[in-house]
Amino acid sequence: MEQHDSFQLAKYSALTWNAPLSEHHASSLLKHLDLANATRIVDLGCGWGELLLRAAFEAGPSSQAIGVDTDPVVLARENATPKTAGWGASSDTRAMLEHLATVVPKGKVLIGDTCWERSPTEAAVAIFGEEIPRLSDVVVFSRQAGWKVMHVSTADTREWDDFESGHRAGPRGWLLENQGDPRAPDIEAEQNRREDEYQTVYRGVLSFAYLVLAR
Ligand SMILES: C[S@@+](CC[C@H](N)C(=O)[O-])C[C@H]1O[C@@H](n2cnc3c(N)ncnc32)[C@H](O)[C@@H]1O
């Protein structure tokens, strides 16, 4: 496994998963996936594989679980077993849903995708780009790609606050332990900048949609 320095490893250390997702919400999504009879579970963009491991537990010991991610840092987290690879993911939601339909001709999928909770300001579009859809668009694109929409939910503000705080807490814990590191001032400034951006630009504006889809 590739070696990473202590800062890279600390980056995600305060997060359970790399998404705005509470324990309760995660359990509910797994319930909607109805994994009791699943024989194979594939997680595309699995991070360090926490949700995949829980899905595999629900499916039982005879199921096969495969995780794929492109980021070697998330794969370096302790206990992570997924493989480094890309799968042609697209930042375009419609293209992703159409591509997913070719990968899963029959079965259930859970997708997680950023979307606007309310009309974005220019500052929010400048950060996240023009291609972020509204939740209603994600639902329509799903149907147009031939999926049956089985369940729709979004991350709430508490889940976003926990997620954003978790992204700060790992680096800030590292800063407390490594105050003399030459990178510390830049890391501190970057954490403060990102925190301010969340608080002033996209808190309550950007959402994260979870859709359980079937075909
Ligand atoms: C929002 S994170 C979610 C991670 C994980 N599902 C979780 O809940 O912790 C998205 C993940 O997708 C991965 N990713 C992005 N593009 C990818 C691609 N083309 N192929 C595989 N993984 C990709 C990123 O590296 C990141 O770990």
Side-chain angles (χ1 to χ4, degrees):
M1 183 184 291
E2 199 179 325
Q3 291 301 306
H4 298 281
D5 73 23
S6 62
F7 174 68
Q8 285 176 309
L9 293 175
K11 235 170 120 180
Y12 302 111
S13 61
L15 293 167
T16 303
W17 25 60
N18 194 4
L21 183 64
S22 66
E23 290 281 346
H24 176 76
H25 198 168
S27 302
S28 155
L29 293 173
L30 292 178
K31 198 168 126 250
H32 285 290
L33 276 174
D34 190 16
L35 293 163
N37 297 315
T39 52
R40 183 177 296 173
I41 305 164
V42 180
D43 189 341
L44 304 170
C46 62
W48 45 89
E50 180 64 31
L51 197 59
L52 174 62
L53 287 174
R54 295 189 191 201
F57 184 78
E58 298 251 330
S62 57
S63 66
Q64 185 187 33
I66 301 166
V68 178
D69 206 286
T70 44
D71 182 350
V73 175
V74 299
L75 298 176
R77 181 156 156 163
E78 194 183 2
N79 295 332
T81 50
K83 299 284 176 281
T84 311
W87 67 285
S90 169
S91 58
D92 176 329
T93 300
R94 187 197 291 273
M96 178 273 288
L97 287 160
E98 287 169 357
H99 184 63
L100 199 54
T102 67
V103 178
V104 183
K106 185 165 174 56
K108 261 189 180 173
V109 299
L110 166 64
I111 64 154
D113 200 12
T114 43
C115 61
W116 298 122
E117 182 77 39
R118 62 176 73 123
S119 296
T121 57
E122 272 181 32
V125 173
I127 297 171
F128 296 101
E130 300 279 353
E131 64 277 4
I132 302 287
R134 293 169 301 174
L135 176 61
S136 55
D137 295 329
V138 184
V139 170
V140 169
F141 294 162
S142 299
R143 292 199 303 251
Q144 287 175 344
W147 295 98
K148 297 259 183 290
V149 179
M150 308 304 282
H151 190 261
V152 181
S153 56
T154 57
D156 63 21
T157 305
R158 174 67 185 267
E159 289 173 297
W160 268 103
D161 285 347
D162 284 347
F163 177 56
E164 292 284 338
S165 300
H167 267 288
R168 308 286 88 78
R172 284 177 173 157
W174 181 90
L175 284 167
L176 288 172
E177 300 294 321
N178 296 275
Q179 292 178 23
D181 191 290
R183 294 170 294 174
D186 283 351
I187 290 171
E188 176 101 52
E190 174 67 1
Q191 293 307 313
N192 294 348
R193 186 189 68 75
R194 289 194 171 200
E195 186 165 57
D196 291 344
E197 208 167 60
Y198 173 58
Q199 297 293 343
T200 60
V201 179
Y202 65 92
R203 185 176 188 269
V205 176
L206 189 72
S207 191
F208 201 81
Y210 297 98
L211 274 73
V212 175
L213 308 173
R215 64 190 306 119

